[in-house]
Amino acid sequence: MSDRIASLTRRLCSCAALVVGALAVFLCAFCFPAWAQDDAAAGDAVTQESAEGQNDGENQDDAADQGDASKRGSVVQRDAANQSERNERAQDSGATSAGNASQASDGTNEGGASSESSTPEPLDAEGNLINEGQVSDTSFLYDAAIADLAGADAYYDGQTVQVTGEAVGEAIAPLMNVGENSGMVRVTLYEESSGTSVTVIMTRENAEKIGTYGAYGKTGATLRVQGTFHLTCQEHEGESDIHADVVTVLKQGSVHPDEFEPEDFVPGVVALVIGLVCMLAGWRIKERSR
Amino acid sequence: MWQKFSFGDFLVVCHYLGVLVLFLAIALCVPLVTAAALGEWAAVSRYLFALGISLTVGSLLRLSVLNPRRLTTKQALAVTSLAWLVLALVGAVPLALSGHYGSYLDAVFEAMSAWTTTGASLVKDLDHMSTADNMWRFTMQCIGGQGVVVIALSLGLFGRAVDSSLYSSEGRSEHVIPNIMQTTRFIVRFSAAFIILGTVILVGICLALGMEPVRAFFNGLWLAVASFNTGGMTAMSTGILYYHCGLLEVVIMILIVMGSINFTLHSEVWRGRIEHFFRDIEIRTLAVWLTIITGTFVAALCASGVYDDLPTLLRRAVFTVVAAFSSTGFQTITTNQLTTVVSSGALLVLVFCMAVGGSSGSTTGGIKMMRVGILAKETIAYVKDLVAPSSARQAVTYYHIGKRRIDAGLVRANLAVLLLYGLAFLITTIVTLAYGYNASTSLFEAASMTFNIGMSAGIIQPGMPEVLKVLYIFDMWAGRLEFVTLIALLTSIVASFVPRKRVKHER
């Protein structure tokens, strides 16, 4: 009887220890969100201040950011410097800039330009998507490689990026298609040169532009995606992803199944025949030795 | 004195290795049929070639001895140890021809990783890999998870010339059922049941996620195989994160835990003796250890500030801990996140978690809970002895399908395994550091390879140094055999070449 009571007491103590341990973990976790919210609020305030400072379009900031960007390797901010120069020329002499797609942001500077008679024609490049609402700021990164994002550090978090890659697999829809998940799917973009991939969150309408997804015997559509990169996305359980703003299909995919070529099977058939002959020879030798 | 191998022993070992290579030829029919059914003709030609190679090599090896006698213990040791290497070398042939690997060595790394259910991969362009090649990777994981010898014994490939020494030398110390053949058949049937059930559920989830039926079927099957056998390979380059589904992660965790529990305990629960499960030293040690590790890892992630809300934090932390302790290696925290936003403290917590591992007699790697529990009890008893009067006597026991006594021999065996694991871990870390990788990453990668986990902090990728590839292949191979078997074999082989000392007799 006393043994049973002792055994029961030991079991109760061990269960109580486990429960206390679990409660301690939960208490720590409940205390954490309050700290995280304070830290996140402080971080947002700092981000806002820096964005406002950059949007003032100071040349020194552009040059400094251009220098920083060049240290990162493949990140190019060529048009930011060009834009600042155009702003200067527009303010000084009223001359308008000529060149590339970021001329669209000149629309915001036209109010500051002096009256000049000649205005350059906008680019008519086919497929050139001009985002008239795009404000020139130094957070815009052109042509980031997926390999850079796969090895990204906190610098890239929250930045606007533009990546190009092949859509592979399929568009994965959330199981619970409600709330913020409604109408959004995940597409994996693969970069052949580096062998790295990144997840892109896009609308179903954008995903429907993709005719073929990459797999064996299929080359997926090549997409150019412009959006915000998150190193640990708080909306999507801390995953690294890009929230796509603009999705452009550069090249549709293709299906190229294996063709049945009899000569490709010759080495395999020869090896199989040799193997079967060896098996048969072994069986015959074993039977004879009995 | 070391046991030496004679030429006769060598021929017998060759014969049984030939039997296993012929079994490999049968296993190669799985991807061959898959390729033919899906019209992947390039893959059909490759697997036909690999089939021919296996038949040729297996038949020639079998001819070394026509009528072998019963296996001795040292011959069983050699067969079990060398089987993994030979199967990896032959199993790498179709992978090397696929074009998805930089070299034959990379393909051998992949094959060894699959056979030993480590899960690390050097594959290139995984998203465009053929279904047949993926099927072969997961077939190797399935057979390796059960144990090559277990499968061979259950199929009766070795005939009557074997006893339990072959089974024991694969790192399995206990029989689920007294009869060795019935034990192996129980393990295979039990595993098949869980894999089939897991496949059905996972296929349903994949269909709900928007996958095509054929892709959903294969992905569900492969996930079930990789989860229950704690292999950890996936069919997409983004790994388990490709599916972005919490329900799928829960199902996978259940399969992982089922595969991490000793098959003997499964048998006891199956027979209605549930009290054995709750009183078992491994289950209790596992419960305490996982509670401590999960709490510590959660705290470390909190300090990193990676996740803002509790459900996400717990989801990521629990899944990562389960994947680490069971040596599965699925990652929901990416390699890049592990090295940038997650603190090095969290990485070290995972290293400890990986080192301890799961249950003995299961599909997991690591030092094993049983050893940790026994050594912990022995340590406590030793401390008690120090303070107790010299006349006091204490018997240290543990519960595993009944009360058992901890004796000096058991402690010595467990300590030997622990020290060998530690030595291999140390050597691997030092060699990795020598290539210029940082300390926390080197420790993490060395632990992942030595304990057959498969998680990566970025070192294991195509283009890594060749010496590291060879070292990691050896670590995976030796870790699967819990080091003792392989070290004993290698030492005996070396000793076999040392000439005997002649004893001079005085007249």
Side-chain angles (χ1 to χ4, degrees):
Chain A
M1 184 66 180
S2 60
D3 289 343
R4 274 196 175 179
I5 293 171
S7 167
L8 194 61
T9 309
R10 276 198 298 272
R11 286 186 188 186
L12 282 172
C13 286
S14 56
C15 286
L18 280 174
V19 168
V20 166
L23 272 174
V25 168
F26 271 89
L27 278 172
C28 287
F30 276 126
C31 290
F32 172 73
W35 305 331
Q37 280 170 13
D38 290 342
D39 288 345
D44 286 344
V46 169
T47 308
Q48 263 188 341
E49 286 173 5
S50 61
E52 285 169 8
Q54 286 170 350
N55 283 337
D56 286 339
E58 293 178 7
N59 298 338
Q60 290 178 355
D61 287 340
D62 288 344
D65 287 337
Q66 195 174 18
D68 288 342
S70 67
K71 291 177 190 174
R72 297 287 169 173
S74 63
V75 173
V76 178
Q77 284 190 314
R78 50 189 181 272
D79 283 349
N82 291 340
Q83 186 59 43
S84 63
E85 287 175 10
R86 287 193 291 275
N87 287 342
E88 278 186 354
R89 277 187 260 118
Q91 286 168 6
D92 291 343
S93 62
T96 56
S97 60
N100 54 31
S102 65
Q103 269 187 322
S105 59
D106 286 346
T108 63
N109 294 319
E110 281 176 5
S114 60
S115 55
E116 274 285 326
S117 55
S118 62
T119 306
E121 296 289 331
L123 279 176
D124 287 330
E126 201 169 331
N128 192 13
L129 188 65
I130 298 173
N131 185 357
E132 294 182 356
Q134 174 65 44
V135 176
S136 171
D137 61 50
T138 54
S139 69
F140 190 88
L141 305 176
Y142 283 92
D143 292 335
I146 293 178
D148 295 330
L149 301 183
D153 56 18
Y155 174 81
Y156 290 84
D157 195 19
Q159 300 278 12
T160 303
V161 298
Q162 181 170 280
V163 296
T164 304
E166 179 192 352
V168 295
E170 48 265 300
I172 298 290
L175 271 185
M176 301 292 289
N177 200 9
V178 293
E180 60 190 20
N181 288 328
S182 176
M184 306 298 282
V185 295
R186 287 180 169 90
V187 172
T188 302
L189 279 193
Y190 169 73
E191 185 178 72
E192 190 178 351
S193 57
S194 60
T196 50
S197 307
V198 70
T199 301
V200 177
I201 314 288
M202 63 176 72
T203 59
R204 284 183 191 274
E205 289 74 28
N206 276 325
E208 281 166 10
K209 296 179 192 175
I210 303 169
T212 311
Y213 287 89
Y216 182 74
K218 295 180 188 175
T219 302
T222 304
L223 305 181
R224 184 176 62 208
V225 172
Q226 180 181 315
T228 309
F229 173 73
H230 298 277
L231 185 57
T232 50
C233 180
Q234 299 309 322
E235 286 180 42
H236 300 107
E237 291 87 37
E239 295 176 14
S240 290
D241 57 29
I242 298 175
H243 290 202
D245 295 323
V246 180
V247 176
T248 310
V249 177
L250 296 179
K251 184 181 170 190
Q252 279 293 353
S254 60
V255 179
H256 41 85
D258 288 350
E259 289 183 9
F260 186 86
E261 301 283 351
E263 54 267 21
D264 290 342
F265 293 90
V266 168
V269 170
V270 167
L272 190 63
V273 166
I274 293 171
L276 290 171
V277 164
C278 289
M279 269 188 74
L280 194 63
W283 177 74
R284 285 292 297 270
I285 293 170
K286 191 175 177 182
E287 288 298 312
R288 281 187 179 180
S289 67
R290 286 189 179 178
Chain B
M1 192 178 102
W2 293 103
Q3 289 289 318
K4 298 188 179 188
F5 285 97
S6 64
F7 189 67
D9 292 328
F10 173 73
L11 293 177
V12 170
V13 168
C14 283
H15 173 87
Y16 286 104
L17 287 176
V19 171
L20 286 172
V21 174
L22 286 175
F23 165 66
L24 186 73
I26 300 171
L28 279 166
C29 292
V30 173
L32 180 64
V33 168
T34 307
L38 295 174
E40 296 173 351
W41 303 117
V44 170
S45 66
R46 274 188 280 116
Y47 282 95
L48 212 56
F49 182 73
L51 190 62
I53 297 287
S54 294
L55 287 175
T56 307
V57 171
S59 305
L60 292 174
L61 284 173
R62 275 196 76 193
L63 284 173
S64 54
V65 172
L66 294 175
N67 295 303
R69 295 180 193 172
R70 200 174 183 83
L71 275 175
T72 62
T73 305
K74 65 180 178 183
Q75 289 168 352
L77 201 84
V79 169
T80 310
S81 303
L82 293 173
W84 298 88
L85 181 64
V86 169
L87 292 178
L89 289 172
V90 179
V93 169
L95 296 178
L97 296 173
S98 68
H100 286 278
Y101 297 91
S103 62
Y104 178 67
L105 184 62
D106 286 10
V108 172
F109 183 101
E110 186 84 5
M112 183 63 82
S113 175
W115 282 115
T116 58
T117 65
T118 303
S121 182
L122 290 180
V123 68
K124 295 194 288 188
D125 196 7
L126 180 58
D127 299 310
H128 292 90
M129 185 176 253
S130 67
T131 309
D133 288 324
N134 268 316
M135 185 58 99
W136 179 229
R137 292 164 77 223
F138 289 96
T139 302
M140 288 192 284
Q141 278 209 322
C142 189
I143 299 172
Q146 306 309 306
V148 170
V149 169
V150 165
I151 298 286
L153 284 172
S154 68
L155 294 173
L157 295 180
F158 292 122
R160 295 179 185 177
V162 296
D163 56 14
S164 64
S165 59
L166 203 63
Y167 177 81
S168 304
S169 57
E170 202 176 41
R172 296 185 189 273
S173 54
E174 54 199 35
H175 298 185
V176 178
I177 301 167
N179 182 288
I180 193 69
M181 297 286 280
Q182 289 178 3
T183 292
T184 55
R185 282 176 186 159
F186 172 82
I187 291 172
V188 171
R189 284 175 192 163
F190 184 83
S191 303
F194 263 101
I195 290 170
I196 290 169
L197 181 64
T199 301
V200 169
I201 298 170
L202 289 169
V203 168
I205 295 173
C206 287
L207 284 170
L209 290 174
M211 297 179 94
E212 292 171 355
V214 174
R215 277 183 62 85
F217 168 74
F218 282 111
N219 275 268
L221 171 66
W222 294 334
L223 282 173
V225 165
S227 303
F228 186 81
N229 292 290
T230 63
M233 282 183 172
T234 55
M236 301 300 292
S237 58
T238 43
I240 207 73
L241 283 171
Y242 176 79
Y243 307 95
H244 308 284
C245 180
L247 178 61
L248 185 131
E249 289 169 20
V250 168
V251 173
I252 284 172
M253 276 196 284
I254 293 171
L255 286 171
I256 289 173
V257 169
M258 288 293 113
S260 307
I261 294 172
N262 194 316
F263 284 110
T264 313
L265 285 179
H266 281 306
S267 170
E268 293 299 313
V269 170
W270 186 254
R271 291 177 196 170
R273 295 197 275 263
I274 302 174
E275 69 275 10
H276 289 317
F277 182 85
F278 289 104
R279 293 181 67 182
D280 190 79
I281 184 173
E282 283 191 310
I283 300 302
R284 290 184 172 186
T285 311
L286 194 63
V288 172
W289 175 244
L290 285 184
T291 306
I292 295 169
I293 280 293
T294 305
T296 313
F297 190 62
V298 166
L301 285 183
C302 282
S304 304
V306 180
Y307 306 111
D308 277 346
D309 57 311
L310 176 62
T312 303
L313 183 67
L314 286 179
R315 177 180 158 184
R316 295 289 178 227
V318 170
F319 188 89
T320 304
V321 167
V322 168
F325 100 84
S326 61
S327 75
T328 306
F330 286 137
Q331 289 183 243
T332 52
I333 300 174
T334 63
T335 301
N336 182 45
Q337 288 172 334
L338 277 177
T339 50
T340 52
V341 293
V342 173
S343 65
S344 56
L347 269 185
L348 286 180
V349 169
L350 283 182
V351 168
F352 295 135
C353 183
M354 291 190 286
V356 172
S359 296
S360 59
S362 69
T363 62
T364 61
I367 297 171
K368 304 294 188 320
M369 283 293 159
M370 174 87 76
R371 293 196 179 94
V372 171
I374 288 171
L375 289 173
K377 277 194 162 241
E378 184 60 27
T379 307
I380 294 168
Y382 179 72
V383 172
K384 273 187 192 173
D385 257 348
L386 286 177
V387 295
S390 54
S391 58
R393 294 287 179 266
Q394 61 171 334
V396 188
T397 60
Y398 67 102
Y399 193 94
H400 182 62
I401 321 294
K403 213 167 188 181
R404 305 183 188 202
R405 191 150 179 248
I406 298 177
D407 56 22
L410 184 63
V411 174
R412 186 176 134 184
N414 288 337
L415 269 177
V417 173
L418 181 70
L419 286 172
L420 284 171
Y421 265 112
L423 189 64
F425 174 57
L426 186 67
I427 292 171
T428 306
T429 306
I430 290 170
V431 174
T432 308
L433 282 169
Y435 278 90
Y437 297 104
N438 70 32
S440 56
T441 309
S442 300
L443 276 169
F444 188 91
E445 220 76 350
S448 180
M449 289 295 101
T450 311
F451 304 113
N452 296 113
I453 310 298
M455 283 183 174
S456 175
I459 294 176
I460 296 171
Q461 55 182 306
M464 63 186 271
E466 304 292 312
V467 170
L468 282 186
K469 286 179 195 169
V470 173
L471 179 63
Y472 289 168
I473 288 171
F474 178 81
D475 280 340
M476 289 189 281
W477 177 28
R480 182 62 180 86
L481 297 165
E482 298 190 339
F483 282 90
V484 178
T485 310
L486 188 60
I487 300 297
L489 170 71
L490 293 175
T491 315
S492 295
I493 290 174
V494 170
S496 305
F497 289 100
V498 174
R500 290 180 191 273
K501 286 183 185 174
R502 287 190 176 183
V503 179
K504 290 183 182 176
H505 296 281
E506 291 182 359
R507 291 187 179 178

